[in-house]
Amino acid sequence: TNQKNNANTFRKTFNGKVRDLPKGVYQNGSGFCAKIKVNYETFCLGTYKTPEAASAAYMEAAGRYFGGFARQD
């Protein structure tokens, strides 16, 4: 399905440039927010001090929601 195909995509680009942050991680003030979208619904996984911690939270959630279709970057 489209959702499973999008679960294993690479990081998104902006104006042809690859983002500096891992997939599912966004800058939020002085911290980093991890978000995941499942069945057209966005879930905030929390705010973390480092992008690595936020990425680990995203990867755990991706494995739980998408199983073998999750890209493990």
Side-chain angles (χ1 to χ4, degrees):
T1 66
N2 191 33
Q3 179 181 354
K4 290 180 181 176
N5 288 335
N6 287 332
N8 66 5
T9 60
F10 287 103
R11 293 178 290 175
K12 302 297 180 193
T13 61
F14 181 73
N15 290 338
K17 297 179 183 176
V18 175
R19 292 176 22 135
D20 292 333
L21 296 173
K23 183 176 178 181
V25 177
Y26 304 90
Q27 185 123 23
N28 183 10
S30 62
F32 298 90
C33 181
K35 294 182 182 180
I36 191 166
K37 191 175 227 180
V38 180
N39 293 330
Y40 306 104
E41 194 171 343
T42 302
F43 297 98
C44 182
L45 305 173
T47 302
Y48 301 88
K49 291 184 179 183
T50 64
E52 292 81 12
S55 178
Y58 174 83
M59 288 300 163
E60 179 183 342
R64 183 174 52 235
Y65 287 116
F66 303 126
F69 292 98
R71 177 176 290 281
Q72 298 295 321
D73 284 340

Short mmCIF file of all heavy atoms in Angstrom, two decimals:
data_model
loop_
_atom_site.label_atom_id
_atom_site.label_comp_id
_atom_site.label_asym_id
_atom_site.label_seq_id
_atom_site.Cartn_x
_atom_site.Cartn_y
_atom_site.Cartn_z
N THR A 1 0.83 -1.18 0.00
CA THR A 1 0.00 0.00 0.00
C THR A 1 0.88 1.25 0.00
O THR A 1 2.08 1.17 0.23
CB THR A 1 -0.92 0.02 1.23
OG1 THR A 1 -0.11 0.14 2.38
CG2 THR A 1 -1.81 -1.19 1.30
N ASN A 2 0.25 2.37 -0.21
CA ASN A 2 0.98 3.64 -0.23
C ASN A 2 1.64 3.91 1.11
O ASN A 2 2.77 4.39 1.18
CB ASN A 2 0.03 4.78 -0.60
CG ASN A 2 0.76 6.05 -0.89
OD1 ASN A 2 1.87 6.02 -1.40
ND2 ASN A 2 0.15 7.17 -0.56
N GLN A 3 0.95 3.61 2.21
CA GLN A 3 1.51 3.85 3.54
C GLN A 3 2.77 3.01 3.76
O GLN A 3 3.77 3.50 4.28
CB GLN A 3 0.48 3.52 4.60
CG GLN A 3 1.01 3.73 6.01
CD GLN A 3 0.00 3.39 7.07
OE1 GLN A 3 -1.14 3.10 6.76
NE2 GLN A 3 0.41 3.42 8.30
N LYS A 4 2.75 1.76 3.35
CA LYS A 4 3.92 0.90 3.53
C LYS A 4 5.07 1.35 2.64
O LYS A 4 6.23 1.28 3.03
CB LYS A 4 3.55 -0.55 3.25
CG LYS A 4 2.65 -1.13 4.32
CD LYS A 4 2.29 -2.55 4.04
CE LYS A 4 1.36 -3.08 5.11
NZ LYS A 4 0.92 -4.44 4.81
N ASN A 5 4.76 1.83 1.44
CA ASN A 5 5.81 2.35 0.57
C ASN A 5 6.46 3.59 1.16
O ASN A 5 7.66 3.78 1.08
CB ASN A 5 5.26 2.66 -0.81
CG ASN A 5 4.94 1.41 -1.59
OD1 ASN A 5 5.51 0.36 -1.34
ND2 ASN A 5 4.02 1.52 -2.52
N ASN A 6 5.66 4.47 1.76
CA ASN A 6 6.19 5.69 2.35
C ASN A 6 6.95 5.41 3.64
O ASN A 6 7.78 6.21 4.06
CB ASN A 6 5.07 6.70 2.62
CG ASN A 6 4.57 7.33 1.36
OD1 ASN A 6 5.31 7.44 0.39
ND2 ASN A 6 3.32 7.74 1.35
N ALA A 7 6.68 4.30 4.29
CA ALA A 7 7.36 3.97 5.54
C ALA A 7 8.85 3.71 5.32
O ALA A 7 9.65 3.90 6.23
CB ALA A 7 6.72 2.75 6.19
N ASN A 8 9.23 3.29 4.14
CA ASN A 8 10.63 2.98 3.91
C ASN A 8 11.29 3.96 2.92
O ASN A 8 12.22 3.60 2.22
CB ASN A 8 10.82 1.53 3.45
CG ASN A 8 10.20 1.27 2.11
OD1 ASN A 8 9.70 2.17 1.46
ND2 ASN A 8 10.24 0.02 1.67
N THR A 9 10.83 5.20 2.89
CA THR A 9 11.43 6.20 2.02
C THR A 9 12.65 6.82 2.69
O THR A 9 12.83 6.74 3.90
CB THR A 9 10.44 7.33 1.68
OG1 THR A 9 10.02 7.95 2.89
CG2 THR A 9 9.25 6.81 0.92
N PHE A 10 13.46 7.47 1.89
CA PHE A 10 14.60 8.20 2.42
C PHE A 10 14.13 9.50 3.04
O PHE A 10 12.97 9.88 2.93
CB PHE A 10 15.60 8.52 1.29
CG PHE A 10 16.35 7.32 0.82
CD1 PHE A 10 16.01 6.68 -0.37
CD2 PHE A 10 17.38 6.80 1.57
CE1 PHE A 10 16.70 5.58 -0.80
CE2 PHE A 10 18.09 5.69 1.15
CZ PHE A 10 17.74 5.08 -0.04
N ARG A 11 15.06 10.20 3.67
CA ARG A 11 14.74 11.51 4.24
C ARG A 11 14.25 12.43 3.15
O ARG A 11 14.67 12.36 2.00
CB ARG A 11 15.97 12.12 4.89
CG ARG A 11 16.41 11.35 6.11
CD ARG A 11 17.63 11.96 6.68
NE ARG A 11 18.74 11.72 5.76
CZ ARG A 11 19.95 12.20 5.90
NH1 ARG A 11 20.23 12.98 6.89
NH2 ARG A 11 20.89 11.92 5.03
N LYS A 12 13.37 13.33 3.50
CA LYS A 12 12.82 14.27 2.54
C LYS A 12 13.84 15.35 2.21
O LYS A 12 14.74 15.63 2.99
CB LYS A 12 11.56 14.93 3.11
CG LYS A 12 10.48 13.95 3.48
CD LYS A 12 9.98 13.19 2.28
CE LYS A 12 8.89 12.22 2.67
NZ LYS A 12 8.58 11.28 1.67
N THR A 13 13.68 15.95 1.04
CA THR A 13 14.55 17.04 0.63
C THR A 13 13.77 18.33 0.62
O THR A 13 12.55 18.35 0.55
CB THR A 13 15.14 16.79 -0.77
OG1 THR A 13 14.07 16.70 -1.70
CG2 THR A 13 15.97 15.53 -0.81
N PHE A 14 14.48 19.44 0.71
CA PHE A 14 13.87 20.75 0.64
C PHE A 14 14.67 21.56 -0.37
O PHE A 14 15.86 21.77 -0.19
CB PHE A 14 13.89 21.44 2.01
CG PHE A 14 13.25 22.79 2.00
CD1 PHE A 14 11.88 22.90 1.91
CD2 PHE A 14 14.01 23.93 2.06
CE1 PHE A 14 11.28 24.14 1.90
CE2 PHE A 14 13.43 25.17 2.05
CZ PHE A 14 12.05 25.28 1.97
N ASN A 15 14.03 21.94 -1.45
CA ASN A 15 14.70 22.65 -2.54
C ASN A 15 15.92 21.88 -3.06
O ASN A 15 16.96 22.45 -3.34
CB ASN A 15 15.11 24.06 -2.11
CG ASN A 15 13.92 24.96 -1.92
OD1 ASN A 15 12.86 24.71 -2.48
ND2 ASN A 15 14.08 26.01 -1.14
N GLY A 16 15.80 20.57 -3.13
CA GLY A 16 16.87 19.75 -3.68
C GLY A 16 17.98 19.42 -2.70
O GLY A 16 18.91 18.71 -3.03
N LYS A 17 17.89 19.91 -1.45
CA LYS A 17 18.92 19.65 -0.45
C LYS A 17 18.40 18.60 0.54
O LYS A 17 17.26 18.67 0.99
CB LYS A 17 19.26 20.93 0.32
CG LYS A 17 19.85 22.00 -0.56
CD LYS A 17 20.14 23.24 0.26
CE LYS A 17 20.67 24.34 -0.63
NZ LYS A 17 20.89 25.58 0.10
N VAL A 18 19.26 17.66 0.89
CA VAL A 18 18.89 16.65 1.87
C VAL A 18 18.91 17.31 3.25
O VAL A 18 19.81 18.08 3.57
CB VAL A 18 19.86 15.45 1.83
CG1 VAL A 18 19.54 14.46 2.92
CG2 VAL A 18 19.80 14.77 0.47
N ARG A 19 17.91 16.99 4.06
CA ARG A 19 17.85 17.56 5.41
C ARG A 19 19.04 17.11 6.24
O ARG A 19 19.56 16.01 6.07
CB ARG A 19 16.58 17.09 6.10
CG ARG A 19 15.33 17.64 5.53
CD ARG A 19 14.13 17.05 6.21
NE ARG A 19 14.49 16.54 7.53
CZ ARG A 19 13.78 16.73 8.62
NH1 ARG A 19 12.67 17.38 8.57
NH2 ARG A 19 14.16 16.24 9.77
N ASP A 20 19.41 17.92 7.20
CA ASP A 20 20.50 17.57 8.11
C ASP A 20 20.05 16.63 9.21
O ASP A 20 20.86 15.94 9.82
CB ASP A 20 21.08 18.83 8.75
CG ASP A 20 21.80 19.72 7.75
OD1 ASP A 20 22.30 19.18 6.75
OD2 ASP A 20 21.88 20.93 7.98
N LEU A 21 18.75 16.59 9.47
CA LEU A 21 18.22 15.77 10.56
C LEU A 21 17.73 14.43 10.03
O LEU A 21 17.31 14.32 8.89
CB LEU A 21 17.07 16.50 11.25
CG LEU A 21 17.46 17.81 11.93
CD1 LEU A 21 16.21 18.52 12.43
CD2 LEU A 21 18.42 17.57 13.07
N PRO A 22 17.75 13.40 10.88
CA PRO A 22 17.25 12.09 10.46
C PRO A 22 15.75 12.12 10.17
O PRO A 22 15.03 13.05 10.56
CB PRO A 22 17.53 11.20 11.67
CG PRO A 22 18.51 11.93 12.50
CD PRO A 22 18.30 13.38 12.22
N LYS A 23 15.27 11.08 9.51
CA LYS A 23 13.85 10.98 9.17
C LYS A 23 13.02 10.98 10.45
O LYS A 23 13.35 10.31 11.43
CB LYS A 23 13.61 9.68 8.40
CG LYS A 23 12.18 9.52 7.96
CD LYS A 23 12.02 8.28 7.11
CE LYS A 23 10.57 8.10 6.71
NZ LYS A 23 10.37 6.91 5.93
N GLY A 24 11.94 11.76 10.45
CA GLY A 24 11.03 11.81 11.58
C GLY A 24 11.45 12.75 12.70
O GLY A 24 10.79 12.82 13.72
N VAL A 25 12.55 13.49 12.52
CA VAL A 25 13.07 14.39 13.56
C VAL A 25 12.98 15.82 13.06
O VAL A 25 13.36 16.12 11.93
CB VAL A 25 14.54 14.04 13.91
CG1 VAL A 25 15.10 15.01 14.94
CG2 VAL A 25 14.62 12.61 14.42
N TYR A 26 12.47 16.70 13.93
CA TYR A 26 12.28 18.10 13.59
C TYR A 26 12.80 18.96 14.73
O TYR A 26 12.66 18.59 15.90
CB TYR A 26 10.80 18.41 13.35
CG TYR A 26 10.20 17.52 12.29
CD1 TYR A 26 9.63 16.30 12.61
CD2 TYR A 26 10.27 17.88 10.95
CE1 TYR A 26 9.12 15.47 11.64
CE2 TYR A 26 9.77 17.05 9.96
CZ TYR A 26 9.19 15.85 10.32
OH TYR A 26 8.70 15.03 9.34
N GLN A 27 13.39 20.11 14.39
CA GLN A 27 13.87 21.04 15.41
C GLN A 27 12.67 21.70 16.06
O GLN A 27 11.73 22.13 15.39
CB GLN A 27 14.78 22.09 14.81
CG GLN A 27 15.38 23.01 15.86
CD GLN A 27 16.87 23.01 15.82
OE1 GLN A 27 17.45 22.70 14.79
NE2 GLN A 27 17.49 23.34 16.91
N ASN A 28 12.68 21.77 17.39
CA ASN A 28 11.58 22.34 18.15
C ASN A 28 12.18 23.24 19.23
O ASN A 28 12.49 22.79 20.31
CB ASN A 28 10.75 21.22 18.77
CG ASN A 28 9.55 21.74 19.51
OD1 ASN A 28 9.22 22.90 19.42
ND2 ASN A 28 8.89 20.86 20.26
N GLY A 29 12.37 24.52 18.90
CA GLY A 29 13.02 25.43 19.84
C GLY A 29 14.45 24.99 20.07
O GLY A 29 15.23 24.87 19.14
N SER A 30 14.79 24.69 21.32
CA SER A 30 16.16 24.26 21.63
C SER A 30 16.29 22.74 21.64
O SER A 30 17.37 22.20 21.84
CB SER A 30 16.59 24.81 22.99
OG SER A 30 15.74 24.30 23.99
N GLY A 31 15.17 22.01 21.41
CA GLY A 31 15.21 20.56 21.40
C GLY A 31 14.85 19.99 20.04
O GLY A 31 14.78 20.71 19.04
N PHE A 32 14.62 18.69 20.01
CA PHE A 32 14.30 18.00 18.78
C PHE A 32 13.07 17.12 19.02
O PHE A 32 13.03 16.34 19.97
CB PHE A 32 15.49 17.15 18.32
CG PHE A 32 16.69 17.97 18.02
CD1 PHE A 32 17.63 18.24 19.00
CD2 PHE A 32 16.88 18.51 16.76
CE1 PHE A 32 18.73 19.02 18.73
CE2 PHE A 32 17.98 19.28 16.48
CZ PHE A 32 18.91 19.55 17.47
N CYS A 33 12.09 17.25 18.16
CA CYS A 33 10.83 16.53 18.28
C CYS A 33 10.83 15.34 17.31
O CYS A 33 11.25 15.48 16.17
CB CYS A 33 9.67 17.47 17.97
SG CYS A 33 8.06 16.70 18.10
N ALA A 34 10.36 14.20 17.80
CA ALA A 34 10.21 13.03 16.94
C ALA A 34 8.73 12.87 16.62
O ALA A 34 7.90 12.89 17.53
CB ALA A 34 10.74 11.78 17.64
N LYS A 35 8.40 12.75 15.33
CA LYS A 35 7.01 12.59 14.90
C LYS A 35 6.92 11.43 13.91
O LYS A 35 7.86 11.17 13.17
CB LYS A 35 6.51 13.85 14.20
CG LYS A 35 6.40 15.05 15.09
CD LYS A 35 5.84 16.22 14.32
CE LYS A 35 5.76 17.46 15.18
NZ LYS A 35 5.22 18.60 14.43
N ILE A 36 5.78 10.76 13.92
CA ILE A 36 5.53 9.69 12.96
C ILE A 36 4.08 9.80 12.51
O ILE A 36 3.21 10.22 13.28
CB ILE A 36 5.82 8.30 13.59
CG1 ILE A 36 5.83 7.23 12.51
CG2 ILE A 36 4.86 7.97 14.71
CD1 ILE A 36 6.44 5.92 12.97
N LYS A 37 3.83 9.46 11.26
CA LYS A 37 2.47 9.50 10.71
C LYS A 37 2.02 8.08 10.41
O LYS A 37 2.68 7.35 9.68
CB LYS A 37 2.45 10.33 9.43
CG LYS A 37 1.07 10.66 8.94
CD LYS A 37 1.13 11.59 7.76
CE LYS A 37 0.15 12.70 7.95
NZ LYS A 37 0.15 13.63 6.85
N VAL A 38 0.86 7.71 10.99
CA VAL A 38 0.30 6.37 10.83
C VAL A 38 -1.18 6.53 10.51
O VAL A 38 -1.90 7.20 11.26
CB VAL A 38 0.48 5.53 12.11
CG1 VAL A 38 -0.11 4.15 11.93
CG2 VAL A 38 1.94 5.44 12.51
N ASN A 39 -1.62 5.92 9.43
CA ASN A 39 -3.03 5.99 9.01
C ASN A 39 -3.52 7.43 8.96
O ASN A 39 -4.58 7.76 9.50
CB ASN A 39 -3.91 5.16 9.94
CG ASN A 39 -3.63 3.69 9.80
OD1 ASN A 39 -3.24 3.20 8.74
ND2 ASN A 39 -3.80 2.96 10.88
N TYR A 40 -2.73 8.29 8.34
CA TYR A 40 -3.07 9.71 8.14
C TYR A 40 -3.16 10.50 9.45
O TYR A 40 -3.71 11.58 9.47
CB TYR A 40 -4.38 9.86 7.35
CG TYR A 40 -4.35 9.12 6.05
CD1 TYR A 40 -5.02 7.92 5.90
CD2 TYR A 40 -3.62 9.61 4.97
CE1 TYR A 40 -4.99 7.22 4.71
CE2 TYR A 40 -3.58 8.91 3.76
CZ TYR A 40 -4.27 7.73 3.64
OH TYR A 40 -4.23 7.04 2.47
N GLU A 41 -2.64 9.97 10.53
CA GLU A 41 -2.67 10.65 11.82
C GLU A 41 -1.23 10.83 12.30
O GLU A 41 -0.45 9.89 12.32
CB GLU A 41 -3.47 9.82 12.83
CG GLU A 41 -3.84 10.56 14.07
CD GLU A 41 -4.81 9.76 14.93
OE1 GLU A 41 -5.43 8.81 14.42
OE2 GLU A 41 -4.93 10.09 16.10
N THR A 42 -0.87 12.06 12.69
CA THR A 42 0.48 12.35 13.15
C THR A 42 0.57 12.21 14.66
O THR A 42 -0.28 12.73 15.38
CB THR A 42 0.90 13.77 12.74
OG1 THR A 42 0.80 13.89 11.32
CG2 THR A 42 2.32 14.07 13.16
N PHE A 43 1.59 11.49 15.12
CA PHE A 43 1.83 11.30 16.54
C PHE A 43 3.15 11.94 16.92
O PHE A 43 4.17 11.68 16.28
CB PHE A 43 1.89 9.80 16.89
CG PHE A 43 0.62 9.07 16.63
CD1 PHE A 43 0.45 8.34 15.47
CD2 PHE A 43 -0.42 9.12 17.55
CE1 PHE A 43 -0.72 7.66 15.22
CE2 PHE A 43 -1.60 8.44 17.31
CZ PHE A 43 -1.75 7.71 16.15
N CYS A 44 3.14 12.78 17.96
CA CYS A 44 4.38 13.34 18.48
C CYS A 44 4.93 12.33 19.49
O CYS A 44 4.23 11.93 20.42
CB CYS A 44 4.13 14.68 19.15
SG CYS A 44 5.65 15.42 19.76
N LEU A 45 6.16 11.91 19.29
CA LEU A 45 6.77 10.89 20.14
C LEU A 45 7.54 11.50 21.30
O LEU A 45 8.11 10.77 22.11
CB LEU A 45 7.69 10.01 19.29
CG LEU A 45 7.04 9.37 18.08
CD1 LEU A 45 8.07 8.68 17.22
CD2 LEU A 45 5.96 8.40 18.52
N GLY A 46 7.60 12.81 21.36
CA GLY A 46 8.28 13.47 22.46
C GLY A 46 9.33 14.43 21.97
O GLY A 46 9.67 14.47 20.78
N THR A 47 9.85 15.23 22.89
CA THR A 47 10.91 16.19 22.60
C THR A 47 12.16 15.72 23.32
O THR A 47 12.12 15.36 24.50
CB THR A 47 10.51 17.60 23.06
OG1 THR A 47 9.29 17.96 22.40
CG2 THR A 47 11.58 18.61 22.71
N TYR A 48 13.28 15.75 22.62
CA TYR A 48 14.54 15.23 23.13
C TYR A 48 15.64 16.28 23.01
O TYR A 48 15.53 17.21 22.21
CB TYR A 48 14.93 13.96 22.35
CG TYR A 48 13.88 12.89 22.45
CD1 TYR A 48 12.83 12.86 21.54
CD2 TYR A 48 13.92 11.95 23.45
CE1 TYR A 48 11.84 11.89 21.64
CE2 TYR A 48 12.93 10.98 23.56
CZ TYR A 48 11.90 10.95 22.65
OH TYR A 48 10.93 10.00 22.76
N LYS A 49 16.70 16.11 23.79
CA LYS A 49 17.80 17.09 23.78
C LYS A 49 18.70 16.94 22.57
O LYS A 49 19.31 17.90 22.14
CB LYS A 49 18.64 16.95 25.06
CG LYS A 49 17.90 17.39 26.30
CD LYS A 49 18.78 17.32 27.51
CE LYS A 49 18.00 17.79 28.73
NZ LYS A 49 18.83 17.81 29.92
N THR A 50 18.79 15.73 22.01
CA THR A 50 19.68 15.50 20.87
C THR A 50 18.89 14.89 19.72
O THR A 50 17.89 14.19 19.94
CB THR A 50 20.83 14.54 21.23
OG1 THR A 50 20.27 13.26 21.55
CG2 THR A 50 21.64 15.06 22.41
N PRO A 51 19.35 15.12 18.48
CA PRO A 51 18.68 14.49 17.35
C PRO A 51 18.83 12.97 17.35
O PRO A 51 17.97 12.25 16.85
CB PRO A 51 19.34 15.12 16.12
CG PRO A 51 20.56 15.78 16.60
CD PRO A 51 20.39 16.04 18.06
N GLU A 52 19.90 12.47 17.93
CA GLU A 52 20.12 11.02 17.99
C GLU A 52 19.07 10.35 18.88
O GLU A 52 18.55 9.28 18.55
CB GLU A 52 21.53 10.69 18.51
CG GLU A 52 22.64 11.08 17.57
CD GLU A 52 23.01 12.56 17.62
OE1 GLU A 52 22.58 13.26 18.56
OE2 GLU A 52 23.73 13.00 16.71
N ALA A 53 18.74 10.97 20.01
CA ALA A 53 17.72 10.42 20.91
C ALA A 53 16.35 10.46 20.24
O ALA A 53 15.56 9.52 20.34
CB ALA A 53 17.70 11.19 22.23
N ALA A 54 16.05 11.56 19.54
CA ALA A 54 14.77 11.66 18.83
C ALA A 54 14.69 10.63 17.71
O ALA A 54 13.64 10.03 17.48
CB ALA A 54 14.60 13.08 18.28
N SER A 55 15.81 10.41 17.02
CA SER A 55 15.84 9.43 15.94
C SER A 55 15.62 8.02 16.49
O SER A 55 14.92 7.21 15.87
CB SER A 55 17.18 9.50 15.20
OG SER A 55 17.23 8.53 14.20
N ALA A 56 16.20 7.72 17.65
CA ALA A 56 16.01 6.40 18.26
C ALA A 56 14.54 6.18 18.61
O ALA A 56 14.00 5.09 18.41
CB ALA A 56 16.88 6.27 19.51
N ALA A 57 13.87 7.23 19.10
CA ALA A 57 12.44 7.12 19.41
C ALA A 57 11.63 6.89 18.14
O ALA A 57 10.70 6.08 18.12
CB ALA A 57 11.96 8.39 20.12
N TYR A 58 11.99 7.60 17.06
CA TYR A 58 11.29 7.41 15.79
C TYR A 58 11.49 5.98 15.27
O TYR A 58 10.55 5.34 14.82
CB TYR A 58 11.77 8.42 14.75
CG TYR A 58 11.17 8.15 13.39
CD1 TYR A 58 9.91 8.61 13.07
CD2 TYR A 58 11.84 7.38 12.44
CE1 TYR A 58 9.32 8.33 11.85
CE2 TYR A 58 11.28 7.10 11.22
CZ TYR A 58 10.02 7.58 10.94
OH TYR A 58 9.44 7.28 9.73
N MET A 59 12.72 5.48 15.32
CA MET A 59 13.00 4.14 14.80
C MET A 59 12.25 3.06 15.59
O MET A 59 11.77 2.08 15.02
CB MET A 59 14.51 3.86 14.84
CG MET A 59 15.27 4.63 13.82
SD MET A 59 14.70 4.20 12.16
CE MET A 59 15.34 5.54 11.24
N GLU A 60 12.14 3.26 16.90
CA GLU A 60 11.40 2.30 17.71
C GLU A 60 9.92 2.30 17.32
O GLU A 60 9.31 1.24 17.14
CB GLU A 60 11.54 2.65 19.19
CG GLU A 60 10.77 1.71 20.10
CD GLU A 60 10.86 2.12 21.55
OE1 GLU A 60 11.76 2.89 21.92
OE2 GLU A 60 10.00 1.66 22.32
N ALA A 61 9.36 3.49 17.15
CA ALA A 61 7.95 3.59 16.75
C ALA A 61 7.74 3.06 15.34
O ALA A 61 6.73 2.40 15.06
CB ALA A 61 7.48 5.04 16.86
N ALA A 62 8.66 3.34 14.43
CA ALA A 62 8.54 2.85 13.06
C ALA A 62 8.55 1.33 13.03
O ALA A 62 7.78 0.71 12.29
CB ALA A 62 9.66 3.41 12.19
N GLY A 63 9.41 0.72 13.82
CA GLY A 63 9.44 -0.74 13.90
C GLY A 63 8.15 -1.30 14.44
O GLY A 63 7.65 -2.33 13.99
N ARG A 64 7.57 -0.61 15.43
CA ARG A 64 6.32 -1.07 16.03
C ARG A 64 5.15 -0.92 15.06
O ARG A 64 4.33 -1.82 14.93
CB ARG A 64 6.06 -0.26 17.31
CG ARG A 64 4.83 -0.69 18.07
CD ARG A 64 4.67 0.01 19.41
NE ARG A 64 4.77 1.46 19.27
CZ ARG A 64 5.62 2.23 19.95
NH1 ARG A 64 6.46 1.68 20.81
NH2 ARG A 64 5.64 3.52 19.77
N TYR A 65 5.07 0.21 14.35
CA TYR A 65 3.93 0.46 13.48
C TYR A 65 4.07 -0.18 12.09
O TYR A 65 3.10 -0.62 11.51
CB TYR A 65 3.69 1.96 13.31
CG TYR A 65 3.11 2.62 14.52
CD1 TYR A 65 3.83 3.58 15.20
CD2 TYR A 65 1.85 2.29 14.98
CE1 TYR A 65 3.30 4.21 16.32
CE2 TYR A 65 1.30 2.90 16.10
CZ TYR A 65 2.04 3.86 16.77
OH TYR A 65 1.51 4.46 17.86
N PHE A 66 5.29 -0.18 11.53
CA PHE A 66 5.47 -0.61 10.15
C PHE A 66 6.18 -1.95 10.01
O PHE A 66 6.28 -2.47 8.91
CB PHE A 66 6.23 0.46 9.36
CG PHE A 66 5.57 1.80 9.39
CD1 PHE A 66 6.27 2.91 9.81
CD2 PHE A 66 4.25 1.96 9.01
CE1 PHE A 66 5.66 4.16 9.84
CE2 PHE A 66 3.64 3.19 9.04
CZ PHE A 66 4.34 4.29 9.45
N GLY A 67 6.71 -2.48 11.09
CA GLY A 67 7.37 -3.78 11.06
C GLY A 67 8.51 -3.83 10.07
O GLY A 67 9.39 -2.99 10.08
N GLY A 68 8.50 -4.82 9.20
CA GLY A 68 9.58 -5.01 8.23
C GLY A 68 9.64 -3.97 7.14
O GLY A 68 10.61 -3.91 6.41
N PHE A 69 8.61 -3.14 7.04
CA PHE A 69 8.61 -2.10 6.01
C PHE A 69 9.33 -0.83 6.45
O PHE A 69 9.53 0.07 5.66
CB PHE A 69 7.16 -1.75 5.61
CG PHE A 69 6.48 -2.87 4.89
CD1 PHE A 69 5.64 -3.71 5.58
CD2 PHE A 69 6.69 -3.07 3.55
CE1 PHE A 69 5.00 -4.75 4.92
CE2 PHE A 69 6.07 -4.11 2.87
CZ PHE A 69 5.22 -4.95 3.57
N ALA A 70 9.66 -0.74 7.73
CA ALA A 70 10.32 0.48 8.26
C ALA A 70 11.78 0.52 7.78
O ALA A 70 12.49 -0.47 7.85
CB ALA A 70 10.27 0.49 9.77
N ARG A 71 12.20 1.68 7.32
CA ARG A 71 13.60 1.87 6.92
C ARG A 71 14.40 2.13 8.19
O ARG A 71 14.12 3.03 8.94
CB ARG A 71 13.73 3.04 5.97
CG ARG A 71 15.18 3.33 5.60
CD ARG A 71 15.29 4.42 4.58
NE ARG A 71 14.81 3.99 3.28
CZ ARG A 71 15.50 3.24 2.43
NH1 ARG A 71 16.69 2.85 2.75
NH2 ARG A 71 14.99 2.89 1.30
N GLN A 72 15.41 1.34 8.43
CA GLN A 72 16.24 1.47 9.62
C GLN A 72 17.53 2.22 9.27
O GLN A 72 18.57 1.64 9.08
CB GLN A 72 16.57 0.10 10.20
CG GLN A 72 15.36 -0.68 10.64
CD GLN A 72 14.63 -0.04 11.79
OE1 GLN A 72 15.23 0.51 12.71
NE2 GLN A 72 13.32 -0.08 11.75
N ASP A 73 17.43 3.56 9.20
CA ASP A 73 18.60 4.39 8.88
C ASP A 73 19.35 4.74 10.13
O ASP A 73 18.88 5.15 11.10
CB ASP A 73 18.19 5.68 8.18
CG ASP A 73 17.84 5.42 6.72
OD1 ASP A 73 18.27 4.40 6.19
OD2 ASP A 73 17.13 6.25 6.15
#
